[in-house]
Amino acid sequence: MGLALNNILGRVCTHNKDFSKEDIAITWINYKSENNVVFKGFGSGFNNKKLFYPASVVKLVYALAAYNWIEKGSLLLSDEIIDAVQKMLSFSSNNATSFLIDLLTGTTSGPCIEGELWENWKYQRNIINDWLHDLHWEELIGLNCCQKTWDDGPFGREKEFYGIDNKNRNAMTTDSAARVLEEIMIHIDYQKSDLNLRSFLKRNLNKVSLQNDSLNQIDGFLGAGLPESINLWSKAGLMSEVRHDAAWWTNSQSQQTLLVVFCNGEKYSKDTSFLPLIAKEVYEFNKRYPIEN
C-alpha cells in the first residue's frame, strides 16, 4: 500500500504544478469486515506523523472527550449536549464547539485575566490534553487540542492563550485523526441511550441533497470522489490556510476504508479538486485489489 499511496499522490499532484508533497499528509487504512465485525486494519501513510493545524477535524477529539466525560460521570447526558455534539459534527458549528469546550474544561471565554485566575484557567483548559495523554495511544504523541474553533478568530483570554506567534494553536497528525475516528467508528459499543457520535458523522452523497446544502462537507472534500451509493462517515476541516478531511467508508461487505488527508496552504484551501481525486484513486485501488480472505 505504501507504493500505491506514493503513486496515487504523484499522479494527483500532476494536476496542479503548485501542489507540493511536503504540504500534504495522509493516513490510509483498510479493514477486513465480516458479519458487522471489523478486524484490525492495515495501511500506509505519508507525512502521517507531521503536525498540522487541524481546523475543524479537531472536533472529532472534542466529541470523543464529551462521550468519555459522560461515560465516567463527569457530565450528565442531556438533550442540549446531544444537540451541541450533533451540530458540532454534522454541521461543524463553532458555537456548539465553544459551548462543549466550556463544559468539558470548566472555562469560559472573556477578557484577559491575570495572576492565579489566569494560571488556573490555563490549567483547566488543558484538561483535554491531559486526558489524551492518559489514553497512552502512540498516535497521539505531540498533539495539542485545547483551543476553540472560530469564525473570526479569538479575542481576549482566548487570543492570549494562543501564545506568541500562535505557538499554542491546536495541532494534530493524520495518524492521530485516524486513531480518534477509528475509536468512534468501531471501538465504541453504542447503546440507545448513548451519545451516538458515529451517527452524527454520516453523510448523504445524493447530488440533489448536496446542492441544497452549501455546508455539506462533501463538495471539495473526500466524499466528492466516491460513488453516490457508498456509505460514508466524515469530518472536514477548512479555513484560509488548510483543507482537511477524515473519512470512513464501506467498499463492500468485507472491506472498509479509513482515509485522512491534511493539506496545508492557501492553494489547497481554495482548491476543490485535490481531495476528491485522492479519494477516487484510493477507492479505485481498493476495487482492483480487494482484501483477500
Side-chain angles (χ1 to χ4, degrees):
M1 284 177 68
L3 178 60
L5 178 57
N6 192 58
N7 290 337
I8 288 170
L9 195 53
R11 284 195 298 273
V12 173
C13 282
T14 62
H15 286 265
N16 189 320
K17 62 180 178 61
D18 293 327
F19 289 164
S20 168
K21 289 184 178 181
E22 291 308 307
D23 298 322
I24 301 163
I26 300 176
T27 298
W28 169 20
I29 306 172
N30 284 338
Y31 301 81
K32 182 181 177 182
S33 59
E34 185 176 345
N35 297 324
N36 294 322
V37 176
V38 180
F39 299 95
K40 186 175 181 180
F42 62 94
S44 184
F46 182 85
N47 284 336
N48 47 305
K49 298 184 186 302
K50 184 176 181 178
L51 289 167
F52 286 74
Y53 176 68
S56 288
V57 173
V58 76
K59 293 169 184 175
L60 292 171
V61 173
Y62 299 150
L64 186 60
Y67 183 91
N68 182 270
W69 266 234
I70 290 166
E71 283 292 291
K72 66 184 183 182
S74 298
L75 275 181
L76 293 178
L77 184 63
S78 66
D79 290 342
E80 186 174 40
I81 289 177
I82 294 172
D83 184 51
V85 175
Q86 180 178 14
K87 285 184 167 64
M88 178 176 69
L89 294 180
S90 298
F91 309 114
S92 208
S93 167
N94 290 334
N95 290 338
T97 305
S98 176
F99 169 74
L100 288 166
I101 291 177
D102 287 349
L103 287 181
L104 292 168
T105 66
T107 61
T108 57
S109 303
C112 293
I113 51 180
E114 298 179 348
E116 187 177 354
L117 281 175
W118 178 228
E119 295 305 315
N120 288 340
W121 189 97
K122 289 187 289 184
Y123 174 83
Q124 286 292 121
R125 180 54 74 83
N126 273 301
I127 282 177
I128 297 173
N129 278 332
D130 295 339
W131 163 70
L132 290 170
H133 179 267
D134 290 343
L135 291 174
H136 300 295
W137 296 349
E138 62 178 312
E139 300 92 344
L140 306 187
I141 294 174
L143 252 65
N144 188 42
C145 300
C146 61
Q147 304 286 2
K148 295 183 176 183
T149 52
W150 305 96
D151 294 320
D152 300 313
F155 296 88
R157 69 190 71 163
E158 299 283 357
K159 183 174 180 59
E160 186 173 352
F161 190 53
Y162 261 54
I164 298 172
D165 297 326
N166 293 333
K167 288 184 178 179
N168 197 34
R169 286 208 309 181
N170 286 335
M172 294 180 69
T173 64
T174 53
D175 273 3
S176 63
R179 181 63 183 87
V180 172
L181 182 55
E182 180 187 270
E183 186 73 13
I184 290 171
M185 291 301 300
I186 64 174
H187 295 307
I188 295 177
D189 182 19
Y190 295 103
Q191 304 298 319
K192 286 184 178 180
S193 60
D194 283 343
L195 188 66
N196 196 322
L197 309 180
R198 185 169 56 202
S199 68
F200 299 152
L201 295 170
K202 188 71 169 65
R203 303 297 170 190
N204 186 351
L205 294 178
N206 180 270
K207 290 181 172 56
V208 175
S209 298
L210 294 177
Q211 289 175 356
N212 297 324
D213 180 9
S214 61
L215 301 175
N216 55 57
Q217 300 189 66
I218 299 297
D219 292 331
F221 297 97
L222 295 173
L226 299 173
E228 193 173 321
S229 59
I230 285 288
N231 283 317
L232 172 72
W233 298 259
S234 69
K235 183 69 200 77
L238 177 66
M239 49 89 72
S240 61
E241 300 172 5
V242 304
R243 180 180 289 268
H244 306 323
D245 205 2
W248 181 292
W249 70 80
T250 55
N251 299 285
S252 64
Q253 289 184 342
S254 61
Q255 183 173 331
Q256 303 188 35
T257 292
L258 192 166
L259 182 64
V260 181
V261 185
F262 284 2
C263 303
N264 188 55
E266 186 179 359
K267 56 184 176 290
Y268 296 104
S269 176
K270 293 180 177 180
D271 180 85
T272 58
S273 64
F274 182 81
L275 290 180
L277 284 170
I278 289 284
K280 183 178 180 181
E281 288 269 0
V282 168
Y283 175 81
E284 291 297 334
F285 176 88
N286 287 334
K287 192 175 179 180
R288 291 193 302 271
Y289 305 103
I291 296 176
E292 298 294 335
N293 293 324

